[in-house]
Amino acid sequence: MLLRFPARSALLLCSLLATAAVRAEPADAMEMAERYADAEHCMEQIVGKRWEMRYGVELARNQWGALEPTGRSMDSAPQAIRMADMSCRRELSIERQPRP
């Protein structure tokens, strides 16, 4: 009987930790989606509204569900746009996140 109690406690603890990890993911996803929204706002402040349309930059949904420029379209964008994008991404700590 003594051996079963610690096993149950360990099982309960593992279950609670797994539940906490699952609940943390949506919060992380929300935080990342907010960062990408802030990055879009940053680009609008530097380049102007609807900059992606003016410069032919294609947008796609990333792993966090936010719209962002594709890597291919940013590679062919004018240098000023690439520099502004790099600055905004760096400011919001998303510079190492993969592009769609």
Side-chain angles (χ1 to χ4, degrees):
M1 182 103 178
L2 273 175
L3 291 177
R4 288 178 49 180
F5 180 73
R8 284 184 184 168
S9 296
L11 182 61
L12 178 62
L13 180 61
C14 287
S15 175
L16 289 173
L17 289 174
T19 302
V22 168
R23 287 186 181 162
E25 286 180 24
D28 292 343
M30 284 185 63
E31 178 185 341
M32 290 304 290
E34 287 175 10
R35 286 186 189 186
Y36 282 98
D38 291 344
E40 178 62 24
H41 181 71
C42 177
M43 286 295 288
E44 287 177 352
Q45 293 294 313
I46 295 171
V47 186
K49 296 239 184 239
R50 300 179 58 85
W51 63 271
E52 64 279 352
M53 298 290 285
R54 270 187 278 137
Y55 295 101
V57 175
E58 180 184 351
L59 300 179
R61 292 222 178 264
N62 62 19
Q63 66 186 7
W64 307 106
L67 284 175
E68 73 166 317
T70 64
R72 181 176 289 163
S73 67
M74 284 307 292
D75 289 343
S76 63
Q79 183 177 6
I81 302 302
R82 291 193 315 262
M83 297 295 287
D85 178 70
M86 186 179 4
S87 173
C88 290
R89 288 174 66 89
R90 195 174 293 145
E91 180 181 319
L92 295 159
S93 301
I94 57 174
E95 73 273 12
R96 294 180 187 221
Q97 294 295 318
R99 290 190 183 272

